[in-house]
Amino acid sequence: MKAAQRRLTGHVHAVVRTRKHAIALLLTGGLLVLAGCNSSDSDTSSKAGSAPAAVSPAPSSTVDAVDAAVLAAYTSSWDAQTEAYGKASVAGTDLKKSTTLRALFDIEHDLEVMRKAGQVTTGKPVIHPKVVKVTTAKIPTATVTDCIDTTHWTLIDKASKKEVPLPTTRLIKYVSTATLEKWGTKWMVTKLTAQERAC
């Protein structure tokens, strides 16, 4: 339970903070997030795709396209995380398609804690991601900052379906950062860090 709360509370400083995302979301507190994100992502994608045709693409068009790809990968990772936390397992999810082993380690740890405690999540977190930095090194990287809203993402006992009591001092909305790397043509989430800071 404590470990699960760490995740939701945040990656146990790294593990608890990242775990906050799922359990911390609940404890410290996707799809709702993702829903909110999806709108943003869609808007960004449509802006990039609906830009008037030009003889040569403007630099901003390229930037918009990169940001849209980064946000799409980030949102996809959250969609899969939300699904995994909903059943305390990554089986049958697309997590490995958008999240690297390093980031998956923390998520798997949270899920193991949840399975042992007989807990899962219901509802969805609401995310508001923004790309704050993109580098064009040999392996391009991107940094995303987010405000995770776990108001409607709840930790419950799988058997009784009752909500698991969480600390009243937990953060319901907290700042989170993510690092992504471009592997070939795909952006992958390599690190998720939940900050012990409200947003």
Side-chain angles (χ1 to χ4, degrees):
M1 177 61 195
K2 290 182 179 178
Q5 293 176 344
R6 292 175 182 175
R7 165 61 175 177
L8 301 178
T9 299
H11 209 193
V12 185
H13 293 144
V15 169
V16 171
R17 290 178 184 173
T18 300
R19 314 252 150 108
K20 288 182 178 179
H21 289 149
I23 301 177
L25 296 174
L26 314 173
L27 305 178
T28 67
L31 289 166
L32 245 191
V33 172
L34 300 177
C37 250
N38 288 335
S39 324
S40 301
D41 293 348
S42 303
D43 293 342
T44 305
S45 300
S46 54
K47 287 179 183 175
S50 63
V55 177
S56 59
S60 60
S61 297
T62 302
V63 172
D64 289 345
V66 171
D67 285 3
V70 169
L71 291 174
Y74 176 82
T75 299
S76 177
S77 177
W78 262 106
D79 282 330
Q81 285 183 63
T82 302
E83 182 182 356
Y85 282 103
K87 57 185 178 181
S89 172
V90 298
T93 71
D94 289 331
L95 258 178
K96 293 182 180 179
K97 292 182 180 179
S98 58
T99 311
T100 66
L101 291 178
R102 183 169 54 180
L104 276 173
F105 177 81
D106 293 331
I107 295 170
E108 286 278 20
H109 181 273
D110 288 340
L111 297 176
E112 182 181 358
V113 170
M114 291 173 69
R115 283 194 296 272
K116 288 180 178 178
Q119 300 169 344
V120 294
T121 62
T122 60
K124 304 171 184 178
V126 176
I127 60 177
H128 307 87
K130 292 181 181 178
V131 177
V132 295
K133 181 179 180 183
V134 175
T135 65
T136 55
K138 184 175 182 180
I139 297 179
T141 63
T143 301
V144 171
T145 185
D146 199 352
C147 177
I148 310 294
D149 182 348
T150 65
T151 303
H152 302 293
W153 198 14
T154 309
L155 186 65
I156 65 168
D157 180 85
K158 189 176 181 180
S160 69
K161 306 299 182 187
K162 292 183 178 180
E163 187 173 340
V164 175
L166 298 175
T168 56
T169 55
R170 74 188 184 284
L171 293 176
I172 301 300
K173 296 179 182 180
Y174 64 92
V175 176
S176 177
T177 58
T179 301
L180 294 86
E181 291 181 357
K182 190 173 185 182
W183 293 11
T185 59
K186 292 179 58 177
W187 284 94
M188 301 285 288
V189 174
T190 59
K191 186 177 182 181
L192 290 167
T193 306
Q195 308 291 327
E196 294 178 2
R197 182 159 53 96
C199 56

PDB file of all heavy atoms in Angstrom, residues 72-74 76-77 80 90 92-101 104 181 183 186-189:
ATOM      1  N   ALA A  72       2.004  13.100 -29.069  1.00  0.00           N
ATOM      2  CA  ALA A  72       1.251  11.899 -29.429  1.00  0.00           C
ATOM      3  C   ALA A  72       1.849  10.672 -28.729  1.00  0.00           C
ATOM      4  O   ALA A  72       1.130   9.817 -28.204  1.00  0.00           O
ATOM      5  CB  ALA A  72       1.262  11.697 -30.940  1.00  0.00           C
ATOM      6  N   ALA A  73       3.189  10.599 -28.702  1.00  0.00           N
ATOM      7  CA  ALA A  73       3.858   9.475 -28.044  1.00  0.00           C
ATOM      8  C   ALA A  73       3.624   9.525 -26.539  1.00  0.00           C
ATOM      9  O   ALA A  73       3.364   8.500 -25.892  1.00  0.00           O
ATOM     10  CB  ALA A  73       5.362   9.516 -28.346  1.00  0.00           C
ATOM     11  N   TYR A  74       3.713  10.713 -25.974  1.00  0.00           N
ATOM     12  CA  TYR A  74       3.496  10.890 -24.531  1.00  0.00           C
ATOM     13  C   TYR A  74       2.065  10.494 -24.152  1.00  0.00           C
ATOM     14  O   TYR A  74       1.834   9.773 -23.187  1.00  0.00           O
ATOM     15  CB  TYR A  74       3.762  12.351 -24.169  1.00  0.00           C
ATOM     16  CG  TYR A  74       3.491  12.687 -22.717  1.00  0.00           C
ATOM     17  CD1 TYR A  74       4.436  12.420 -21.733  1.00  0.00           C
ATOM     18  CD2 TYR A  74       2.282  13.273 -22.333  1.00  0.00           C
ATOM     19  CE1 TYR A  74       4.192  12.725 -20.396  1.00  0.00           C
ATOM     20  CE2 TYR A  74       2.030  13.588 -21.009  1.00  0.00           C
ATOM     21  CZ  TYR A  74       2.983  13.310 -20.042  1.00  0.00           C
ATOM     22  OH  TYR A  74       2.733  13.613 -18.717  1.00  0.00           O
ATOM     23  N   SER A  76       0.044   8.559 -25.818  1.00  0.00           N
ATOM     24  CA  SER A  76      -0.117   7.122 -26.032  1.00  0.00           C
ATOM     25  C   SER A  76       0.397   6.342 -24.828  1.00  0.00           C
ATOM     26  O   SER A  76      -0.207   5.365 -24.384  1.00  0.00           O
ATOM     27  CB  SER A  76       0.646   6.699 -27.297  1.00  0.00           C
ATOM     28  OG  SER A  76       0.557   5.302 -27.484  1.00  0.00           O
ATOM     29  N   SER A  77       1.516   6.795 -24.277  1.00  0.00           N
ATOM     30  CA  SER A  77       2.080   6.146 -23.096  1.00  0.00           C
ATOM     31  C   SER A  77       1.114   6.268 -21.924  1.00  0.00           C
ATOM     32  O   SER A  77       0.891   5.310 -21.176  1.00  0.00           O
ATOM     33  CB  SER A  77       3.431   6.790 -22.734  1.00  0.00           C
ATOM     34  OG  SER A  77       3.955   6.222 -21.547  1.00  0.00           O
ATOM     35  N   ALA A  80      -1.871   3.935 -22.285  1.00  0.00           N
ATOM     36  CA  ALA A  80      -1.501   2.562 -21.933  1.00  0.00           C
ATOM     37  C   ALA A  80      -1.299   2.408 -20.430  1.00  0.00           C
ATOM     38  O   ALA A  80      -1.664   1.383 -19.842  1.00  0.00           O
ATOM     39  CB  ALA A  80      -0.229   2.161 -22.685  1.00  0.00           C
ATOM     40  N   VAL A  90       0.434  -4.933 -17.274  1.00  0.00           N
ATOM     41  CA  VAL A  90       0.718  -4.345 -18.584  1.00  0.00           C
ATOM     42  C   VAL A  90       0.265  -5.272 -19.704  1.00  0.00           C
ATOM     43  O   VAL A  90       0.272  -4.894 -20.873  1.00  0.00           O
ATOM     44  CB  VAL A  90       2.227  -4.047 -18.762  1.00  0.00           C
ATOM     45  CG1 VAL A  90       2.706  -3.032 -17.747  1.00  0.00           C
ATOM     46  CG2 VAL A  90       3.046  -5.328 -18.683  1.00  0.00           C
ATOM     47  N   GLY A  92      -1.573  -7.013 -22.506  1.00  0.00           N
ATOM     48  CA  GLY A  92      -2.630  -6.549 -23.391  1.00  0.00           C
ATOM     49  C   GLY A  92      -2.649  -5.055 -23.632  1.00  0.00           C
ATOM     50  O   GLY A  92      -3.530  -4.544 -24.314  1.00  0.00           O
ATOM     51  N   THR A  93      -1.661  -4.328 -23.075  1.00  0.00           N
ATOM     52  CA  THR A  93      -1.597  -2.875 -23.298  1.00  0.00           C
ATOM     53  C   THR A  93      -0.515  -2.568 -24.335  1.00  0.00           C
ATOM     54  O   THR A  93       0.263  -3.441 -24.713  1.00  0.00           O
ATOM     55  CB  THR A  93      -1.251  -2.128 -21.994  1.00  0.00           C
ATOM     56  OG1 THR A  93       0.120  -2.386 -21.655  1.00  0.00           O
ATOM     57  CG2 THR A  93      -2.156  -2.571 -20.851  1.00  0.00           C
ATOM     58  N   ASP A  94      -0.464  -1.328 -24.769  1.00  0.00           N
ATOM     59  CA  ASP A  94       0.542  -0.912 -25.745  1.00  0.00           C
ATOM     60  C   ASP A  94       1.712  -0.170 -25.097  1.00  0.00           C
ATOM     61  O   ASP A  94       2.420   0.584 -25.762  1.00  0.00           O
ATOM     62  CB  ASP A  94      -0.097   0.002 -26.802  1.00  0.00           C
ATOM     63  CG  ASP A  94      -1.030  -0.763 -27.728  1.00  0.00           C
ATOM     64  OD1 ASP A  94      -0.807  -1.964 -27.945  1.00  0.00           O
ATOM     65  OD2 ASP A  94      -1.992  -0.145 -28.228  1.00  0.00           O
ATOM     66  N   LEU A  95       1.912  -0.382 -23.803  1.00  0.00           N
ATOM     67  CA  LEU A  95       2.975   0.344 -23.099  1.00  0.00           C
ATOM     68  C   LEU A  95       4.352   0.186 -23.747  1.00  0.00           C
ATOM     69  O   LEU A  95       5.110   1.155 -23.851  1.00  0.00           O
ATOM     70  CB  LEU A  95       3.051  -0.115 -21.640  1.00  0.00           C
ATOM     71  CG  LEU A  95       2.412   0.837 -20.623  1.00  0.00           C
ATOM     72  CD1 LEU A  95       2.492   0.256 -19.232  1.00  0.00           C
ATOM     73  CD2 LEU A  95       3.058   2.199 -20.673  1.00  0.00           C
ATOM     74  N   LYS A  96       4.666  -1.005 -24.179  1.00  0.00           N
ATOM     75  CA  LYS A  96       6.001  -1.237 -24.726  1.00  0.00           C
ATOM     76  C   LYS A  96       6.205  -0.564 -26.077  1.00  0.00           C
ATOM     77  O   LYS A  96       7.328  -0.462 -26.551  1.00  0.00           O
ATOM     78  CB  LYS A  96       6.276  -2.730 -24.830  1.00  0.00           C
ATOM     79  CG  LYS A  96       6.374  -3.400 -23.467  1.00  0.00           C
ATOM     80  CD  LYS A  96       6.700  -4.872 -23.563  1.00  0.00           C
ATOM     81  CE  LYS A  96       6.797  -5.500 -22.179  1.00  0.00           C
ATOM     82  NZ  LYS A  96       7.083  -6.953 -22.244  1.00  0.00           N
ATOM     83  N   LYS A  97       5.114  -0.098 -26.671  1.00  0.00           N
ATOM     84  CA  LYS A  97       5.228   0.559 -27.969  1.00  0.00           C
ATOM     85  C   LYS A  97       5.615   2.033 -27.837  1.00  0.00           C
ATOM     86  O   LYS A  97       6.059   2.647 -28.798  1.00  0.00           O
ATOM     87  CB  LYS A  97       3.901   0.457 -28.728  1.00  0.00           C
ATOM     88  CG  LYS A  97       3.551  -0.950 -29.157  1.00  0.00           C
ATOM     89  CD  LYS A  97       2.244  -0.971 -29.936  1.00  0.00           C
ATOM     90  CE  LYS A  97       1.887  -2.391 -30.367  1.00  0.00           C
ATOM     91  NZ  LYS A  97       0.593  -2.416 -31.114  1.00  0.00           N
ATOM     92  N   SER A  98       5.418   2.586 -26.636  1.00  0.00           N
ATOM     93  CA  SER A  98       5.708   4.008 -26.458  1.00  0.00           C
ATOM     94  C   SER A  98       6.571   4.308 -25.241  1.00  0.00           C
ATOM     95  O   SER A  98       6.934   5.456 -25.013  1.00  0.00           O
ATOM     96  CB  SER A  98       4.390   4.787 -26.321  1.00  0.00           C
ATOM     97  OG  SER A  98       3.648   4.290 -25.220  1.00  0.00           O
ATOM     98  N   THR A  99       6.901   3.258 -24.465  1.00  0.00           N
ATOM     99  CA  THR A  99       7.633   3.460 -23.217  1.00  0.00           C
ATOM    100  C   THR A  99       8.801   2.486 -23.141  1.00  0.00           C
ATOM    101  O   THR A  99       8.630   1.286 -23.355  1.00  0.00           O
ATOM    102  CB  THR A  99       6.683   3.244 -22.011  1.00  0.00           C
ATOM    103  OG1 THR A  99       5.479   3.996 -22.233  1.00  0.00           O
ATOM    104  CG2 THR A  99       7.314   3.701 -20.722  1.00  0.00           C
ATOM    105  N   THR A 100       9.980   2.989 -22.815  1.00  0.00           N
ATOM    106  CA  THR A 100      11.159   2.136 -22.767  1.00  0.00           C
ATOM    107  C   THR A 100      11.240   1.324 -21.475  1.00  0.00           C
ATOM    108  O   THR A 100      10.525   1.600 -20.508  1.00  0.00           O
ATOM    109  CB  THR A 100      12.445   2.981 -22.866  1.00  0.00           C
ATOM    110  OG1 THR A 100      12.543   3.802 -21.694  1.00  0.00           O
ATOM    111  CG2 THR A 100      12.435   3.840 -24.110  1.00  0.00           C
ATOM    112  N   LEU A 101      12.115   0.347 -21.461  1.00  0.00           N
ATOM    113  CA  LEU A 101      12.263  -0.523 -20.293  1.00  0.00           C
ATOM    114  C   LEU A 101      12.597   0.258 -19.034  1.00  0.00           C
ATOM    115  O   LEU A 101      12.137  -0.075 -17.948  1.00  0.00           O
ATOM    116  CB  LEU A 101      13.344  -1.573 -20.554  1.00  0.00           C
ATOM    117  CG  LEU A 101      12.996  -2.633 -21.603  1.00  0.00           C
ATOM    118  CD1 LEU A 101      14.170  -3.572 -21.806  1.00  0.00           C
ATOM    119  CD2 LEU A 101      11.760  -3.414 -21.182  1.00  0.00           C
ATOM    120  N   LEU A 104       9.449   1.710 -17.887  1.00  0.00           N
ATOM    121  CA  LEU A 104       8.534   0.618 -17.554  1.00  0.00           C
ATOM    122  C   LEU A 104       8.861  -0.013 -16.201  1.00  0.00           C
ATOM    123  O   LEU A 104       7.975  -0.534 -15.522  1.00  0.00           O
ATOM    124  CB  LEU A 104       8.590  -0.476 -18.631  1.00  0.00           C
ATOM    125  CG  LEU A 104       7.728  -0.251 -19.858  1.00  0.00           C
ATOM    126  CD1 LEU A 104       8.027  -1.324 -20.908  1.00  0.00           C
ATOM    127  CD2 LEU A 104       6.251  -0.276 -19.496  1.00  0.00           C
ATOM    128  N   GLU A 181      12.891  10.083 -26.185  1.00  0.00           N
ATOM    129  CA  GLU A 181      13.972   9.990 -27.162  1.00  0.00           C
ATOM    130  C   GLU A 181      13.378   9.479 -28.465  1.00  0.00           C
ATOM    131  O   GLU A 181      12.411   8.712 -28.459  1.00  0.00           O
ATOM    132  CB  GLU A 181      15.055   9.007 -26.687  1.00  0.00           C
ATOM    133  CG  GLU A 181      15.840   9.486 -25.494  1.00  0.00           C
ATOM    134  CD  GLU A 181      16.920   8.497 -25.074  1.00  0.00           C
ATOM    135  OE1 GLU A 181      17.014   7.401 -25.681  1.00  0.00           O
ATOM    136  OE2 GLU A 181      17.676   8.814 -24.140  1.00  0.00           O
ATOM    137  N   TRP A 183      13.641   7.124 -31.362  1.00  0.00           N
ATOM    138  CA  TRP A 183      14.281   5.879 -31.774  1.00  0.00           C
ATOM    139  C   TRP A 183      13.813   5.570 -33.193  1.00  0.00           C
ATOM    140  O   TRP A 183      12.678   5.145 -33.392  1.00  0.00           O
ATOM    141  CB  TRP A 183      13.897   4.744 -30.833  1.00  0.00           C
ATOM    142  CG  TRP A 183      14.443   4.908 -29.441  1.00  0.00           C
ATOM    143  CD1 TRP A 183      15.038   5.997 -28.898  1.00  0.00           C
ATOM    144  CD2 TRP A 183      14.426   3.919 -28.405  1.00  0.00           C
ATOM    145  NE1 TRP A 183      15.405   5.772 -27.593  1.00  0.00           N
ATOM    146  CE2 TRP A 183      15.043   4.496 -27.263  1.00  0.00           C
ATOM    147  CE3 TRP A 183      13.955   2.612 -28.318  1.00  0.00           C
ATOM    148  CZ2 TRP A 183      15.201   3.814 -26.058  1.00  0.00           C
ATOM    149  CZ3 TRP A 183      14.102   1.923 -27.119  1.00  0.00           C
ATOM    150  CH2 TRP A 183      14.727   2.514 -26.012  1.00  0.00           C
ATOM    151  N   LYS A 186      10.240   6.771 -34.289  1.00  0.00           N
ATOM    152  CA  LYS A 186       9.304   6.840 -33.166  1.00  0.00           C
ATOM    153  C   LYS A 186       9.866   7.563 -31.950  1.00  0.00           C
ATOM    154  O   LYS A 186      11.030   7.419 -31.614  1.00  0.00           O
ATOM    155  CB  LYS A 186       8.922   5.419 -32.712  1.00  0.00           C
ATOM    156  CG  LYS A 186       8.090   4.648 -33.687  1.00  0.00           C
ATOM    157  CD  LYS A 186       7.788   3.252 -33.157  1.00  0.00           C
ATOM    158  CE  LYS A 186       7.080   3.316 -31.826  1.00  0.00           C
ATOM    159  NZ  LYS A 186       6.722   1.967 -31.326  1.00  0.00           N
ATOM    160  N   TRP A 187       9.005   8.331 -31.274  1.00  0.00           N
ATOM    161  CA  TRP A 187       9.378   8.941 -30.002  1.00  0.00           C
ATOM    162  C   TRP A 187       8.970   7.981 -28.894  1.00  0.00           C
ATOM    163  O   TRP A 187       7.865   7.423 -28.923  1.00  0.00           O
ATOM    164  CB  TRP A 187       8.665  10.286 -29.823  1.00  0.00           C
ATOM    165  CG  TRP A 187       9.268  11.378 -30.639  1.00  0.00           C
ATOM    166  CD1 TRP A 187       8.883  11.797 -31.878  1.00  0.00           C
ATOM    167  CD2 TRP A 187      10.400  12.192 -30.286  1.00  0.00           C
ATOM    168  NE1 TRP A 187       9.699  12.822 -32.324  1.00  0.00           N
ATOM    169  CE2 TRP A 187      10.631  13.082 -31.357  1.00  0.00           C
ATOM    170  CE3 TRP A 187      11.231  12.253 -29.160  1.00  0.00           C
ATOM    171  CZ2 TRP A 187      11.660  14.026 -31.342  1.00  0.00           C
ATOM    172  CZ3 TRP A 187      12.258  13.190 -29.136  1.00  0.00           C
ATOM    173  CH2 TRP A 187      12.473  14.068 -30.219  1.00  0.00           C
ATOM    174  N   MET A 188       9.871   7.771 -27.943  1.00  0.00           N
ATOM    175  CA  MET A 188       9.621   6.848 -26.832  1.00  0.00           C
ATOM    176  C   MET A 188       9.819   7.566 -25.493  1.00  0.00           C
ATOM    177  O   MET A 188      10.768   8.330 -25.322  1.00  0.00           O
ATOM    178  CB  MET A 188      10.597   5.668 -26.895  1.00  0.00           C
ATOM    179  CG  MET A 188      10.528   4.850 -28.176  1.00  0.00           C
ATOM    180  SD  MET A 188       9.068   3.775 -28.240  1.00  0.00           S
ATOM    181  CE  MET A 188       9.503   2.519 -27.026  1.00  0.00           C
ATOM    182  N   VAL A 189       8.926   7.305 -24.550  1.00  0.00           N
ATOM    183  CA  VAL A 189       9.059   7.870 -23.210  1.00  0.00           C
ATOM    184  C   VAL A 189      10.150   7.085 -22.491  1.00  0.00           C
ATOM    185  O   VAL A 189      10.050   5.863 -22.356  1.00  0.00           O
ATOM    186  CB  VAL A 189       7.736   7.766 -22.424  1.00  0.00           C
ATOM    187  CG1 VAL A 189       7.943   8.237 -20.982  1.00  0.00           C
ATOM    188  CG2 VAL A 189       6.647   8.580 -23.102  1.00  0.00           C
TER     189      VAL A 189
END
